[in-house]
């Protein structure tokens, strides 16, 4: 298990089952609080350590409480008799019901505590057949997610990123928690996915056609003879994760529409070693955008480069031909200003170690990695949105992984939180001026 931080409470519970009474989960008993006659429940973290998530006593019969307390006290350490809290070696599993999650208020009673704790936990039963090391945050999230039948996991312990210690269950938990931020970038767009059936690294293949065995809730849309998947909901997203779909690529326009929803400039250095070139190019492009009053949103691609998203809004009337006027202008400006650093040469062998400013890729039928999609790298990197002040010499793609992105969203809001309402209407004026030759930098 690798999910070492819970992230925001909203991210934890946004897709929990609603209207079903108490949530349920299997926890490990970490100790006994003699002053409260209650027991400490915990879960396993990715670093191999246990974290306390609250205390419970409600729901237990007197004989159950007495037996559990006696078992812990009989096996306490040498200092156990002097402490109110008696720790115990993780091994006893219990099923608890709980009303939700809340910010932690030292619910761990001196044990290493999670950033959130269980609300009104109540004992349901002992789970003597359960192994302690299966009691994890990932399992709790997946088991309580509001998923349709046939959207659940098979082989949850299967490693998907073996070197990063991320299992299929961990990945599903990530998808559930990131869904409120990821799904808006997938909705009503056809999906091209990259699957790693045996995990990363390993054999991969691109998938466009929806497989015949897909469950009925998976929506599809046909285009050019291809029956694409459309990932509009959580159940489809988790089902894709169960199929070892790691990368999610989408076109720039919605189904049934000809005009793009956004412009994306792809800054592609020769290799990861030249990532600093992508940082330099992004900073220069921001100056261009600021000059015209255009709002752009940078993100690390999760690979070796940076991509800059420029939203056009749901009512956009600019065509791909219109946007090409602007993207080619920006690319050519960079190349003319810094010919030794940047190029628009499509043939790699002719780029001479320069960064490729890819504006050609913004076109009908082309795709881009969706924000918050995982990538097929051994470090489990993510295509993570950035604030502009993060685009500096200290930036590195490896800073943004599945676990670290969740930690990041607990500490700060999503940099693209206003993306869907940003229209950049001034861009139409800028493009008209570029066509007329009346605008220059």
């Amino acid at each position: 298990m690798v999910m070492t931080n819970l992230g925001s409470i909203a991210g934890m519970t946004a897709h929990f089952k609603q209207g079903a009474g108490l949530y349920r989960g299997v926890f490990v008993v970490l100790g006994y609080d003699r002053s409260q006659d209650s027991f400490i429940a915990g879960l396993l973290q990715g670093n191999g350590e246990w974290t306390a998530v609250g205390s419970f006593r409600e729901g237990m019969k007197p004989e159950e409480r007495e037996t559990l307390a006696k078992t812990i006290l009989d096996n306490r350490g040498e200092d156990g008799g002097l402490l109110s809290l008696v720790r115990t070696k993780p091994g006893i599993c219990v099923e608890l019901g709980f009303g939700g999650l809340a910010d932690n208020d030292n619910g761990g009673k001196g044990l290493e505590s999670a950033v959130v704790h269980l609300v009104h936990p109540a004992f349901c039963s002992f789970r003597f057949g359960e192994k302690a090391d299966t009691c994890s945050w990932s399992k709790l999230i997946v088991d309580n997610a509001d998923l349709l039948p046939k959207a659940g996991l098979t082989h949850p312990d299967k490693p998907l990123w073996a070197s990063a210690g991320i299992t299929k269950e961990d990945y599903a938990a990530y998808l559930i928690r990131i869904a409120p931020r990821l799904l808006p970038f997938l909705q009503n767009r056809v999906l091209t996915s990259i699957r790693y059936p045996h995990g990363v690294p390993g054999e991969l293949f691109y998938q466009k056609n929806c497989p015949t065995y897909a469950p009925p809730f998976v929506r599809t849309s046909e285009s050019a003879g291809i029956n694409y998947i459309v990932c509009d909901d959580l159940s489809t997203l988790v089902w894709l994760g169960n199929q070892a779909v790691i990368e999610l690529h989408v076109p720039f326009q919605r189904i049934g529409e000809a005009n793009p929803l956004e412009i994306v400039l792809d800054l592609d250095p020769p290799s990861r070693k030249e990532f600093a070139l992508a940082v330099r190019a992004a900073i220069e492009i921001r100056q261009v955008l600021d000059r015209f009053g255009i709002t752009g949103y940078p993100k690390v691609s999760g690979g070796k480069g940076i991509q800059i998203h420029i939203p056009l809004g749901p009512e956009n009337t600019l065509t791909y031909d219109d946007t090409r006027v602007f993207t080619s202008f920006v690319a050519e400006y960079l190349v003319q200003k810094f010919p030794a650093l940047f190029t628009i040469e499509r043939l790699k062998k002719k780029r001479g170690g320069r960064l490729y400013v890819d504006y050609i890729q913004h076109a009908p039928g082309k795709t881009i990695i969706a924000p918050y999609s995982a990538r097929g790298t051994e470090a489990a990197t993510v295509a993570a949105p950035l604030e502009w002040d993060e685009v500096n010499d200290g930036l590195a793609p490896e800073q943004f992984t599945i676990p670290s992105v969740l930690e990041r969203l607990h500490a700060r809001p999503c940099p693209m939180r206003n993306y869907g309402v940003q229209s950049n209407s001034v861009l139409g004026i800028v493009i008209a001026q570029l066509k007329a030759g009346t605008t220059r930098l």
Side-chain angles (χ1 to χ4, degrees):
M1 301 295 174
V2 74
M3 317 304 279
T4 59
N5 189 295
L6 302 186
S8 68
I9 293 173
M12 287 283 288
T13 61
H15 287 292
F16 272 18
K17 299 181 182 74
Q18 300 298 315
L22 292 178
Y23 305 121
R24 286 179 177 261
V26 180
F27 302 84
V28 170
V29 178
L30 296 181
Y32 173 50
D33 186 348
R34 290 188 290 189
S35 66
Q36 301 294 324
D37 191 24
S38 63
F39 304 93
I40 309 302
L43 291 171
L44 185 65
Q45 297 195 116
N47 57 8
E49 297 182 357
W50 296 92
T51 179
V53 296
S55 60
F56 68 95
R57 60 168 287 163
E58 291 184 17
M60 300 189 80
K61 298 176 182 178
E63 58 269 25
E64 291 173 327
R65 190 165 61 249
E66 292 170 6
T67 299
L68 182 55
K70 184 177 186 303
T71 300
I72 294 173
L73 291 171
D74 287 348
N75 292 278
R76 64 183 180 270
E78 293 182 359
D79 62 346
L82 303 176
L83 301 175
S84 171
L85 173 64
V86 181
R87 300 169 184 260
T88 186
K89 181 179 179 180
I92 302 173
C93 299
V94 293
E95 181 177 356
L96 302 179
F98 59 100
L101 300 169
D103 288 322
N104 195 24
D105 57 356
N106 198 30
K109 306 291 184 181
L111 287 167
E112 180 65 26
S113 302
V115 295
V116 300
H117 69 270
L118 304 178
V119 175
H120 303 308
F123 176 83
C124 298
S125 65
F126 288 105
R127 296 290 290 268
F128 295 114
E130 200 84 28
K131 294 182 179 179
D133 60 6
T134 65
C135 301
S136 68
W137 279 111
S138 293
K139 180 175 174 56
L140 182 72
I141 294 166
V142 173
D143 287 351
N144 284 281
D146 191 10
L147 300 175
L148 294 170
K150 298 186 179 181
L153 299 185
T154 57
H155 310 294
D157 294 333
K158 178 179 179 178
L160 287 187
W161 287 268
S163 59
I166 298 178
T167 65
K168 186 188 287 189
E169 188 170 62
D170 294 326
Y171 180 45
Y174 170 77
L175 293 175
I176 292 165
R177 293 169 61 186
I178 209 68
R181 297 168 177 89
L182 170 59
L183 283 175
F185 294 100
L186 305 179
Q187 287 175 340
N188 212 25
R189 303 195 203 191
V190 297
L191 180 68
T192 297
S193 63
I194 301 181
R195 294 176 59 182
Y196 287 79
H198 305 296
V200 179
E203 177 189 2
L204 65 90
F205 63 91
Y206 287 77
Q207 180 170 298
K208 294 186 177 182
N209 265 305
C210 180
T212 56
Y213 56 80
F217 60 76
V218 175
R219 180 187 166 204
T220 61
S221 178
E222 187 170 345
S223 177
I226 297 174
N227 192 33
Y228 287 95
I229 291 174
V230 183
C231 187
D232 277 341
D233 57 78
L234 180 67
S235 291
T236 300
L237 184 61
V238 174
W239 178 80
L240 288 167
N242 190 48
Q243 305 301 308
V245 168
I246 302 301
E247 299 193 7
L248 305 165
H249 297 253
V250 290
F252 304 101
Q253 77 280 348
R254 293 180 296 197
I255 295 169
E257 296 182 0
N259 294 338
L261 279 172
E262 59 189 346
I263 292 172
V264 181
L265 289 164
D266 191 4
L267 309 178
D268 185 19
S271 72
R272 170 62 186 87
K273 293 180 181 179
E274 291 85 13
F275 182 74
L277 285 175
V279 171
R280 177 69 181 276
I283 292 172
E284 294 294 333
I285 289 175
R286 185 193 183 184
Q287 293 177 2
V288 174
L289 298 181
D290 287 348
R291 165 69 175 78
F292 291 126
I294 296 168
T295 301
Y297 296 81
K299 83 172 194 286
V300 287
S301 68
K304 60 182 179 176
I306 293 175
Q307 294 156 348
I308 299 176
H309 290 245
I310 302 171
L312 302 178
E315 306 302 324
N316 171 53
T317 59
L318 296 173
T319 67
Y320 278 102
D321 288 340
D322 292 331
T323 59
R324 176 65 61 85
V325 173
F326 180 74
T327 57
S328 62
F329 168 79
V330 173
E332 290 166 3
Y333 168 77
L334 285 181
V335 172
Q336 291 172 8
K337 188 175 181 181
F338 304 100
L341 300 179
F342 310 129
T343 182
I344 55 175
E345 173 57 59
R346 300 197 69 187
L347 293 178
K348 290 184 179 181
K349 64 182 181 180
K350 294 184 178 181
R351 293 178 189 171
R354 294 170 293 176
L355 176 141
Y356 176 47
V357 184
D358 188 353
Y359 70 94
I360 302 294
Q361 189 70 9
H362 184 261
K366 304 296 185 179
T367 63
I368 196 75
I369 188 74
Y372 293 112
S373 171
R375 300 306 302 262
T377 63
E378 291 191 60
T381 53
V382 170
L386 306 169
E387 299 288 356
W388 274 112
D389 62 7
E390 297 178 290
V391 183
N392 55 49
D393 292 340
L395 182 65
E398 296 79 13
Q399 296 167 341
F400 304 91
T401 62
I402 284 177
S404 70
V405 164
L406 293 174
E407 294 175 5
R408 170 182 171 83
L409 288 173
H410 176 65
R412 61 194 305 169
C414 170
M416 297 181 79
R417 59 193 177 277
N418 296 321
Y419 194 81
V421 298
Q422 178 72 46
S423 64
N424 278 313
S425 57
V426 69
L427 192 55
I429 299 173
V430 173
I431 290 172
Q433 292 173 342
L434 289 172
K435 289 180 178 180
T438 58
T439 290
R440 51 185 287 180
L441 290 173

